[in-house]
Amino acid sequence: MLPRLEPDYQLILLDLPGFGAADPAAFDPHRHGTPAGHAEDVPALCEELQLERAMMVGHSIGGTISLMASLLRPGTFDKLCLICSSARYLDEPPHYRGGPQRHAAAARGNPDP
């Protein structure tokens, strides 16, 4: 997708703390243990980069974080593109297991944690 966007947009690629190639030292388990902590980081970065009316593309949990960030700092984002996002990422045992425990178990080959 990036090659199609590069000619027309300035791209800023962000790996949130705890994801991808982000510096492991940036991860604070208390702050980043829920999407809300990440959502606070995104507008702060936009302010640092002096971005206004940007388009934010978020995949999976990144889409949920994008939506939350847009509510925290209205005007920062002009458009949101949410790809395969869900409104629910945290487990609420015993009835709902769709969050991190289920994904970690699936990665280990056990579909039911």
Side-chain angles (χ1 to χ4, degrees):
M1 179 161 59
L2 294 177
R4 290 184 174 235
L5 295 173
E6 287 174 327
D8 299 315
Y9 297 94
Q10 174 189 5
L11 302 180
I12 299 168
L13 307 178
L14 171 65
D15 282 331
L16 297 168
F19 294 90
D23 181 356
F27 182 76
D28 176 345
H30 296 290
R31 178 178 179 84
H32 300 117
T34 68
H38 291 290
E40 294 171 2
D41 291 347
V42 173
L45 175 64
C46 292
E47 187 174 311
E48 177 80 20
L49 298 174
Q50 299 180 347
L51 300 177
E52 294 179 5
R53 300 179 50 92
M55 179 186 350
M56 175 80 166
V57 178
H59 173 256
S60 188
I61 187 73
T64 302
I65 290 167
S66 300
L67 182 60
M68 294 171 74
S70 74
L71 295 172
L72 289 173
R73 190 80 52 90
T76 301
F77 305 108
D78 189 37
K79 297 175 184 157
L80 296 176
C81 177
L82 311 180
I83 303 169
C84 298
S85 294
S86 171
R88 196 165 184 184
Y89 281 93
L90 301 177
D91 291 329
E92 292 180 23
H95 303 293
Y96 179 76
R97 293 196 188 277
Q101 290 179 358
R102 172 169 239 140
H103 297 294
R108 291 190 306 269
N110 178 7
D112 194 24

